[in-house]
Amino acid sequence: MIINELSFLRLLSDGEIHSIESISKYFQCTTSEIFIVLKNVSELEINLFEINNKGYWLKDSINWLNSDFVLKNINQHPNFCSLDLMIVDSVDSTNNFLINRLEKNEGLENYKGILVIASELQTKGRGRLGRSWLSGLGQSLTFSLGLYFTLDISKLSGLSLVIGIAIIRVFNSLSINNVNLKWPNDIIFNNSKLGGILIEFRQSNPKRLPFIVIGIGINFKLSKYSRSLIDQDVTDLFTITNKNIDRNLMLSALLSELQNVLIKFEKYGFNYFMEEWINYHAFQGKKISLYLPDKSVIEGTVDGVGHDGSLILITKKGRSFYNIGDISMRLN
Ligand code: BTN
């Protein structure tokens, strides 16, 4: 059997002390191979202890992702013929994985379902505007959905807002309240980032259907070290609720609700969701600064969103619509 860090940690997830001998017997490997794995595990910020020369003990159990559990708890929407869920230990980025898969299109001709990949770890998680997305083992939920979608590219910004609605609805259904959205699609609590959404659209070949990949990252319980690497105010579900929220339960609830909003969005567009989105927007009616990618800054008061999901600001020059940028609160 191949021994790697995650299979090692899975073995230790039973809360028992495991001797080096029993571990090497289980994996049919040498003790020196185990020491290499132990060294790598120490970089994963896991509370693993050596107990009085008896063996190794994992202090906090890891809430591993479990595809059987998730699939059993999903309400599959009848409009999607299937939902193919894949859970992996590690991948560069779940969005990259699906983009590659859908670009190749192998075995997916006329595919009318949703491909989903969730990963315990991402080595190169990506955020909006070329930023990176950081998370450690068991500290967050990182997954992507990919589907062929007959969607005009101009509707994409509206879609990304609608995904935020699905997340807030699921949070509310799990009694995680007072979480808001920050345009375009940050999930925030008290102005600290709890999660993010990265939507990508591709049509690699005009003869093929375009597809979208929806990537979602939600912080569950960030370590101090992970927090120190993130250059903005962040929070996680543990800090907000003081509870360890089950990642599998959250993933199944999200996959159920995401199907609902995708179907409604395809049928009715963003208009159908506009009021609900504005209700969840933390900055509605607030004076903000909007930082544009060219480094210019627009100041104004948020006056809702347009039918395409663009941000409406009342500025000195009047009422204007914006499709890109980062909001920050103005203090004066
Ligand atoms: C953002 O707020 O900038 C968007 C963050 C999106 C992160 C998720 S994690 C799963 C998926 N895979 C990625 O590489 N990114 C998205």
Side-chain angles (χ1 to χ4, degrees):
M1 194 189 295
I2 299 169
I3 175 164
N4 62 28
E5 294 71 39
L6 269 65
S7 53
F8 173 87
L9 289 170
R10 277 203 178 86
L11 177 68
L12 269 74
S13 287
D14 58 3
E16 300 293 327
I17 300 172
H18 291 254
S19 67
I20 286 279
E21 294 73 36
S22 70
I23 300 170
S24 65
K25 195 169 163 204
Y26 180 85
F27 288 110
Q28 295 172 353
C29 65
T30 62
T31 46
S32 42
E33 282 173 306
I34 296 176
F35 284 119
I36 296 172
V37 171
L38 273 167
K39 187 178 165 288
N40 295 340
V41 164
S42 67
E43 283 162 22
L44 292 173
E45 300 175 82
I46 296 296
N47 281 324
L48 181 70
F49 296 99
E50 194 184 351
I51 308 288
N52 300 336
N53 292 329
K54 280 195 211 143
Y56 289 88
W57 176 61
L58 191 61
K59 182 170 169 268
D60 306 311
S61 70
I62 297 167
N63 176 215
W64 298 100
L65 292 171
N66 178 322
S67 55
D68 289 342
F69 179 95
V70 175
L71 287 172
K72 217 164 71 195
N73 286 281
I74 290 176
N75 295 324
Q76 166 111 34
H77 197 289
N79 288 35
F80 287 109
C81 69
S82 65
L83 192 144
D84 294 318
L85 172 66
M86 193 174 164
I87 291 180
V88 296
D89 278 350
S90 178
V91 70
D92 58 346
S93 143
T94 53
N95 268 36
N96 289 356
F97 179 91
L98 287 185
I99 290 172
N100 290 335
R101 175 89 210 277
L102 289 159
E103 253 168 10
K104 285 194 194 116
N105 198 25
E106 281 156 6
L108 294 172
E109 294 79 18
N110 303 319
Y111 183 73
K112 292 209 176 62
I114 304 186
L115 297 176
V116 181
I117 177 174
S119 186
E120 296 288 4
L121 281 173
Q122 287 190 123
T123 53
K124 273 194 189 135
R126 294 189 289 111
R128 277 178 63 238
L129 308 172
R131 297 180 186 124
S132 53
W133 179 266
L134 289 167
S135 53
L137 184 63
Q139 297 179 25
S140 55
L141 177 62
T142 49
F143 68 104
S144 302
L145 288 77
L147 59 155
Y148 292 103
F149 206 60
T150 42
L151 175 82
D152 188 295
I153 190 157
S154 65
K155 305 246 164 65
L156 210 57
S157 49
L159 175 64
S160 81
L161 271 63
V162 165
I163 302 303
I165 291 187
I167 297 174
I168 302 289
R169 285 183 185 172
V170 167
F171 282 178
N172 290 343
S173 75
L174 298 173
S175 304
I176 305 168
N177 301 314
N178 303 320
V179 176
N180 286 107
L181 297 172
K182 172 177 165 182
W183 185 89
N185 48 21
D186 279 357
I187 315 296
I188 60 166
F189 181 84
N190 277 347
N191 219 7
S192 296
K193 187 143 167 170
L194 172 63
I197 300 161
L198 176 66
I199 302 214
E200 299 181 276
F201 172 90
R202 293 277 195 290
Q203 180 159 31
S204 41
N205 175 335
K207 284 191 195 135
R208 286 181 184 162
L209 275 178
F211 64 84
I212 48 168
V213 169
I214 303 166
I216 298 177
I218 298 172
N219 301 326
F220 273 62
K221 197 178 189 176
L222 295 175
S223 68
K224 269 197 189 144
Y225 180 65
S226 296
R227 281 171 184 262
S228 73
L229 297 176
I230 302 172
D231 61 356
Q232 61 177 312
D233 288 338
V234 280
T235 190
D236 55 32
L237 290 174
F238 184 76
T239 310
I240 296 173
T241 62
N242 211 18
K243 281 187 202 138
N244 285 306
I245 308 280
D246 188 324
R247 292 192 305 152
N248 290 298
L249 207 64
M250 177 67 83
L251 181 56
S252 42
L254 283 170
L255 291 175
S256 305
E257 189 55 36
L258 284 163
Q259 291 177 76
N260 289 336
V261 296
L262 283 167
I263 296 291
K264 287 262 162 40
F265 181 80
E266 200 173 23
K267 214 165 166 188
Y268 306 116
F270 180 66
N271 260 352
Y272 180 89
F273 296 94
M274 202 159 78
E275 249 177 67
E276 185 177 359
W277 196 90
I278 292 171
N279 275 337
Y280 296 147
H281 192 202
F283 294 85
Q284 174 63 16
K286 302 259 163 56
K287 286 185 174 168
I288 59 118
S289 302
L290 180 70
Y291 294 83
L292 300 179
D294 67 1
K295 307 251 186 291
S296 59
V297 184
I298 313 283
E299 310 223 305
T301 303
V302 178
D303 189 27
V305 281
H307 296 301
D308 58 352
S310 53
L311 179 74
I312 305 177
L313 287 185
I314 309 283
T315 67
K316 276 185 193 147
K317 291 184 184 155
R319 202 162 179 264
S320 321
F321 293 71
Y322 296 90
N323 284 305
I324 196 156
D326 270 325
I327 283 184
S328 107
M329 188 75 162
R330 258 170 60 194
L331 299 172
N332 52 358

